[in-house]
């Protein structure tokens, strides 16, 4: 999995597939995250005060949280709760799960009924990356400017499509491995995961697939 494919592009694809698999196969992971919503709301004033919008920005703010009194303490409690959530489900290590958690809590604080990942930006569909060229407005833009912008957008799309096409042959295997990893996050043993498969597969093969994907994503299983 992944030879000849840029690692960053492969990781992006894998994370998207993993979250989809977790939502389907291990919804308790997301229900556990929803349980942190009161802590998020309590920490919201400090999140706004320190302009926290990602896990990295939260980490930058943490050393200064004491300056915000009780609001800062709420921020630190949220940080610890998020780390504990990631640890419970084998999602410790990379920033991606914590970023996704913060994003979801932010959306749920506005509307708890939103689906997980509702606010995620989707720039790919099953046919590949989406080409988005705003239409020409002849009242405010001449043709030369429009053509230059359109060519720039097209060149960016073409580069993205090339990377997508390089990952595409890997997608079937990647989908399988992300589903296995979601079941492992759920708590199933490798043998139990192998028993769920419609095509017989040895436990060692499942273990290798899960470990390899976890290594790519930086997860510490």
């Amino acid at each position: 999995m992944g030879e000849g494919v840029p690692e960053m592009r492969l990781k992006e694809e894998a994370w998207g597939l993993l979250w989809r698999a977790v939502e389907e196969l291990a919804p308790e992971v997301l229900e556990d995250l929803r349980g942190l919503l009161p802590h998020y709301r309590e920490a919201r004033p400090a999140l706004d005060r320190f302009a926290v919008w990602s896990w990295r920005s939260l980490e930058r703010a943490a050393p200064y949280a004491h300056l915000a009194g009780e609001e800062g303490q709420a921020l630190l409690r949220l940080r610890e709760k998020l780390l504990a959530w990631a640890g419970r489900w084998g999602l410790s290590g990379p920033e991606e799960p914590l970023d996704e958690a913060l994003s979801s809590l932010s959306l749920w604080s506005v509307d708890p009924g939103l689906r997980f990942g509702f606010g995620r930006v989707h720039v790919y569909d099953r046919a590949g990356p989406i080409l988005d060229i705003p239409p020409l407005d002849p009242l405010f833009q001449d043709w030369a400017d429009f053509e230059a912008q359109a060519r720039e957008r097209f060149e960016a799309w073409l580069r993205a499509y090339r990377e997508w096409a390089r990952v595409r042959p890997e997608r079937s295997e990647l989908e399988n491995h992300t589903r296995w990893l979601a079941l492992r996050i759920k708590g199933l043993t490798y043998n139990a995961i192998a028993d769920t498969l419609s095509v017989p597969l040895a436990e060692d093969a499942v273990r290798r697939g899960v470990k390899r994907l976890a290594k790519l994503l930086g997860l510490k299983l």
Side-chain angles (χ1 to χ4, degrees):
M1 178 183 64
E3 286 77 0
V5 179
E7 183 175 287
M8 184 58 67
R9 179 68 195 95
L10 195 64
K11 285 176 68 174
E12 290 174 359
E13 186 87 0
W15 276 117
L17 291 171
L18 178 60
W19 291 127
R20 188 184 307 169
V22 166
E23 189 175 18
E24 176 188 348
L25 303 174
E28 55 267 48
V29 175
L30 307 182
E31 286 306 307
D32 189 25
L33 178 61
R34 281 184 183 273
L36 304 188
L37 194 50
H39 297 285
Y40 180 88
R41 286 177 171 145
E42 184 183 28
R44 187 57 191 259
L47 294 170
D48 292 340
R49 176 172 179 171
F50 290 103
V52 172
W53 56 274
S54 67
W55 180 253
R56 187 168 297 184
S57 60
L58 193 157
E59 289 289 81
R60 285 197 299 266
Y64 306 99
H66 66 281
L67 300 175
E70 181 52 39
E71 289 181 1
Q73 292 305 309
L75 179 67
L76 294 177
R77 283 193 293 273
L78 175 63
R79 177 181 180 275
E80 293 306 312
K81 293 291 184 181
L82 285 167
L83 288 170
W85 168 79
R88 280 194 296 276
W89 299 106
L91 294 170
S92 296
E95 295 179 359
E96 283 88 349
L98 296 163
D99 272 339
E100 194 71 34
L102 272 174
S103 175
S104 295
L105 288 171
S106 175
L107 291 167
W108 290 337
S109 70
V110 177
D111 183 353
L114 290 175
R115 283 189 58 195
F116 174 77
F118 176 83
R120 196 179 305 139
V121 176
H122 298 278
V123 295
Y124 291 83
D125 62 16
R126 289 189 175 274
I130 298 168
L131 176 60
D132 178 23
I133 299 179
L136 170 70
D137 185 344
L139 295 178
F140 299 98
Q141 187 180 34
D142 61 33
W143 179 259
D145 287 342
F146 171 77
E147 183 177 8
Q149 291 180 13
R151 288 184 183 279
E152 184 178 347
R153 291 284 187 101
F154 176 75
E155 292 293 336
W157 171 83
L158 197 60
R159 290 191 296 270
Y161 198 96
R162 180 175 182 271
E163 297 306 317
W164 175 85
R166 293 176 68 182
V167 173
R168 191 63 185 172
E170 313 270 347
R171 188 180 174 100
S172 179
E173 181 182 17
L174 198 58
E175 285 181 336
N176 288 335
H177 290 184
T178 54
R179 292 178 70 83
W180 302 349
L181 179 54
L183 291 172
R184 182 61 182 151
I185 288 170
K186 185 182 179 74
L188 272 65
T189 65
Y190 293 110
N191 189 54
I193 295 171
D195 287 343
T196 68
L197 305 179
S198 57
V199 178
L201 201 61
E203 176 186 347
D204 284 348
V206 173
R207 185 190 305 271
R208 286 194 301 272
V210 170
K211 292 287 187 181
R212 192 175 180 187
L213 179 56
K215 182 179 179 181
L216 171 70
L217 299 179
L219 294 174
K220 301 173 182 177
L221 294 181

